[in-house]
């Protein structure tokens, strides 16, 4: 009884869904679908009635084309062991030396690296020196990122991992010093513009005063001339 009641309830809900959403119960024609399966699965699900040998060859060729396209789109890393073996060796001219630590691990474990650059020291540097130091720190950052990635990939601890923090702090100090210089230059330029405006206003006041002074002198001269003529009469 319970099973039949549950079946009737399920059928009733199915009919309600068909009535409310008729588009879900009918096949969609003319709409694109996202397909993540291979052409073989697509053709098997399509339910084609033709089973001739030509159709089978077409399926095989389609699968081969799809596999070739999928392989071409999938990038696989194949390391160049000959080039990697030359990195860090004496007299090596490999371009990858800039991305690897050329100092031996034994020397790294025994000798500690220096501290980061402070803002007080960087303020004494010129713009050209800061630019050169930025390039050196940028190359050091790329090298340390490579070493950290290799250590994570091969499962060993990176030697002196605090070097990344020191490089990041030094680069932040360079940005801070350059920002200070930029803000100071902008402030000086604003003061220069304000001074120009103030001097221009003073010159305009002087011109106005000079014009007013000339008219007063003319009036006084005319008044004196009139008095002299009255005295003569």
């Amino acid at each position: 009884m319970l099973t039949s009641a549950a079946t009737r309830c399920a059928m009733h809900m199915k009919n309600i869904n068909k009535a409310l959403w008729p588009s879900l119960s009918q096949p969609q024609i003319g709409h694109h679908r996202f397909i993540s399966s291979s052409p073989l699965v697509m053709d098997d699900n399509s339910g084609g009635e033709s089973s001739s040998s030509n159709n089978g060859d077409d399926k095989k060729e389609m699968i081969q084309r799809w596999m070739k396209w999928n392989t071409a789109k999938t990038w696989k890393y194949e390391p160049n062991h000959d080039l990697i073996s030359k990195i860090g060796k004496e007299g090596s001219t490999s371009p990858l030396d800039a991305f690897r630590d050329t100092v031996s691990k034994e020397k790294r474990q025994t000798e500690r690296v220096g501290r980061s650059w402070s803002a007080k020291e960087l303020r004494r540097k010129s713009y050209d020196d800061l630019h050169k130091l930025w390039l050196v720190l940028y190359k050091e950052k790329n090298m340390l990122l490579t070493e950290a990635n290799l250590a994570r990939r091969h499962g060993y601890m990176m030697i002196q991992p605090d070097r990344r923090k020191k490089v990041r702090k030094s680069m932040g100090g360079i940005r801070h010093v350059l920002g200070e210089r930029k803000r100071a230059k902008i402030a000086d330029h604003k003061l220069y513009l304000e001074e120009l405006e103030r001097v221009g206003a003073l010159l305009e006041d002087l011109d106005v005063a000079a014009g007013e002074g000339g008219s007063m002198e003319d009036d006084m001269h005319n008044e004196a001339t009139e008095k002299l003529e009255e005295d003569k009469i």
Side-chain angles (χ1 to χ4, degrees):
M1 293 294 293
L2 292 176
T3 304
S4 59
T7 304
R8 287 196 303 271
C9 183
M11 292 297 294
H12 183 64
M13 291 299 297
K14 187 176 181 181
N15 294 331
I16 292 175
N17 290 332
K18 286 183 179 180
L20 293 176
W21 311 102
S23 59
L24 297 178
S25 60
Q26 298 176 2
Q28 297 292 327
I29 301 175
H31 293 277
H32 297 285
R33 294 185 299 137
F34 292 99
I35 301 171
S36 60
S37 59
S38 65
L40 182 59
V41 176
M42 289 164 41
D43 292 342
D44 289 342
N45 294 333
S46 61
E49 297 179 357
S50 177
S51 60
S52 61
S53 59
N54 293 331
N55 194 12
D57 295 338
D58 293 341
K59 287 182 180 181
K60 186 176 180 181
E61 185 179 358
M62 187 184 299
I63 292 172
Q64 290 177 354
R65 286 201 308 268
W66 181 80
M67 292 297 295
K68 185 177 180 180
W69 176 86
N70 192 22
T71 305
K73 293 297 181 180
T74 304
W75 180 78
K76 184 179 180 181
Y77 171 70
E78 295 181 359
N80 190 345
H81 298 286
D82 295 334
L83 187 61
I84 293 175
S85 62
K86 298 178 183 178
I87 298 175
K89 298 298 179 62
E90 187 175 355
S92 173
T93 58
S94 173
L96 296 177
D97 287 336
F99 297 93
R100 293 297 305 274
D101 192 2
T102 56
V103 182
S104 62
K105 294 183 179 180
E106 293 79 9
K107 189 175 181 179
R108 283 294 184 199
Q109 290 175 352
T110 56
E111 297 181 4
R112 302 290 298 177
V113 297
R115 58 176 176 81
S116 59
W117 288 84
S118 63
K120 185 177 180 181
E121 295 170 340
L122 294 172
R123 290 190 183 100
R124 304 192 188 103
K125 301 289 184 181
S126 63
Y127 178 80
D128 293 334
D129 292 339
L130 290 178
H131 188 245
K132 294 176 183 178
L133 182 59
W134 177 270
L135 292 178
V136 172
L137 291 172
Y138 198 82
K139 292 173 66 177
E140 186 76 8
K141 176 185 175 182
N142 289 336
M143 182 271 292
L144 292 175
L145 288 175
T146 304
E147 293 295 331
N149 190 16
L150 290 174
R152 178 185 58 81
R153 185 182 299 175
H154 297 291
Y156 61 86
M157 292 294 296
M158 181 182 176
I159 302 175
Q160 298 184 15
D162 57 339
R163 289 180 290 171
R164 295 176 60 185
K165 183 178 180 180
K166 294 177 182 179
V167 170
R168 184 168 61 251
K169 187 176 180 180
S170 299
M171 296 178 76
I174 292 176
R175 284 194 292 265
H176 178 71
V177 171
L178 292 178
E180 288 179 347
R181 294 182 182 179
K182 181 180 179 181
R183 289 188 291 272
K185 191 172 183 179
I186 292 174
D188 293 340
H189 184 66
K190 287 183 178 180
L191 289 176
Y192 173 73
L193 294 178
E194 291 176 359
E195 188 69 17
L196 283 180
E197 186 177 356
R198 188 178 66 83
V199 171
L202 288 175
L203 291 176
E204 290 179 359
D205 294 339
L206 290 175
D207 293 338
V208 172
E212 292 178 355
S215 61
M216 287 178 62
E217 289 178 359
D218 295 337
D219 295 338
M220 291 173 65
H221 179 70
N222 294 332
E223 187 177 355
T225 305
E226 291 177 357
K227 285 185 178 182
L228 287 174
E229 291 179 352
E230 291 177 357
D231 293 338
K232 287 180 181 180
I233 296 172

